[in-house]
Amino acid sequence: MKPLLETRKLTRNFGGLRAVDQIDFSLMPGEIHALIGPNGAGKSTFVNLVCGRIAPSSGAIFFDGKDITTLPAHKRVRLGIAYTFQITSVYAQLSVFDNVALAVQRTLADGRGEGHIGTGVMEVLERVGLTNHASVAAGQLAYGHQRLLEVAMGLALKPRLIILDEPTQGLSDGEIDNFNTLMAEIAASATVLLIEHNMDVVMQLAHRITVLEAGKMLAQGSPEEIRANEAVQRAYLGTGI
């Protein structure tokens, strides 16, 4: 099986700072892959490179075997890459329903969806547990529910790869349990790249884990391998991995 996503020597410099340093990375179809590391490790910069929000200083990015290194972000979305941001990017004045409807309309325009918009919206809201909030203005939702709305907007794009940046931040324990169930369901039809600080979530969900530190890949492996890795233990001393 060939990787769905692959980076080769991916590097990004900001002046004298090398935020991402020659990262070789692969993501297999149907995988839930967690990307972890301390603040400033380069996680968000790495996924911004993958999504096309910033350009690499050097290296290459491949999606389904196609070189997308210079492809603009909106064209990567059309290929099936969806990214939810660490800071919520919902339209605060629009209802929950309308936020998701915008994403559903995009799949219809790109030829990746079919059927009635309203049906598609409610199906996605049901998956994330926001059906009862459909008519509420997105800006009035609790922070955790705004994060779930972002996930819903990503799912509405019918992605082949969905990248989730701190999706459980602000969720209650019960909502996190529901989120874990949802991720397992999503992995049946899409590939998931997860940036997450909640190690319980990471260890429960991830098939593989990549650890970044100071822009470099510190370790990669199964949850069991990462938990036993001495270098990771040193980098995360006291964090409970």
Side-chain angles (χ1 to χ4, degrees):
M1 185 181 296
K2 296 181 180 179
L4 177 64
L5 176 73
E6 186 177 10
T7 70
R8 299 176 188 171
K9 305 297 182 185
L10 192 62
T11 299
R12 173 67 193 203
N13 301 320
F14 293 100
L17 171 67
R18 178 159 288 187
V20 171
D21 192 356
Q22 299 192 52
I23 297 294
D24 291 324
F25 176 85
S26 64
L27 185 61
M28 304 306 293
E31 181 179 23
I32 300 177
H33 195 123
L35 187 64
I36 67 173
N39 291 334
K43 304 182 298 297
S44 292
T45 301
F46 178 79
V47 296
N48 281 331
L49 291 167
V50 169
C51 297
R53 299 185 71 231
I54 58 175
S57 301
S58 61
I61 307 167
F62 296 85
F63 185 71
D64 199 18
K66 177 182 179 180
D67 189 340
I68 63 168
T69 309
T70 61
L71 202 67
H74 69 276
K75 291 188 176 180
R76 300 189 196 197
V77 172
R78 291 176 182 172
L79 289 178
I81 300 175
Y83 176 29
T84 69
F85 300 97
Q86 187 174 18
I87 300 174
T88 55
S89 57
V90 301
Y91 297 95
Q93 302 304 318
L94 295 181
S95 70
V96 168
F97 182 98
D98 288 341
N99 269 273
V100 179
L102 290 173
V104 172
Q105 286 176 324
R106 187 165 192 168
T107 66
L108 296 174
D110 292 345
R112 287 184 285 123
E114 58 183 22
H116 192 271
I117 290 176
T119 301
V121 171
M122 295 311 294
E123 286 177 352
V124 173
L125 291 180
E126 183 175 1
R127 291 180 74 183
V128 301
L130 290 178
T131 305
N132 293 336
H133 300 277
S135 62
V136 176
Q140 294 179 1
L141 292 176
Y143 180 75
H145 285 167
Q146 288 188 29
R147 303 316 311 273
L148 290 176
L149 175 56
E150 263 209 328
V151 174
M153 293 166 69
L155 291 177
L157 292 170
K158 298 186 182 296
R160 300 176 64 192
L161 167 62
I162 184 166
I163 303 173
L164 305 174
D165 199 342
E166 299 289 346
T168 67
Q169 188 175 4
L171 298 185
S172 67
D173 290 344
E175 289 169 336
I176 288 175
D177 289 341
N178 291 336
F179 174 83
N180 289 344
T181 301
L182 174 63
M183 286 301 101
E185 174 195 328
I186 290 171
S189 58
T191 303
V192 179
L193 179 57
L194 179 69
I195 301 176
E196 183 57 67
H197 282 295
N198 186 322
M199 287 299 106
D200 289 337
V201 171
V202 168
M203 292 298 171
Q204 180 174 336
L205 287 179
H207 302 135
R208 285 194 299 158
I209 300 170
T210 294
V211 186
L212 297 184
E213 184 182 37
K216 295 184 178 182
M217 187 181 295
L218 177 65
Q220 186 177 87
S222 68
E224 293 76 17
E225 290 169 333
I226 294 300
R227 194 188 299 273
N229 187 295
E230 292 184 2
V232 174
Q233 290 177 0
R234 287 194 297 270
Y236 280 89
L237 185 64
T239 63
I241 280 188

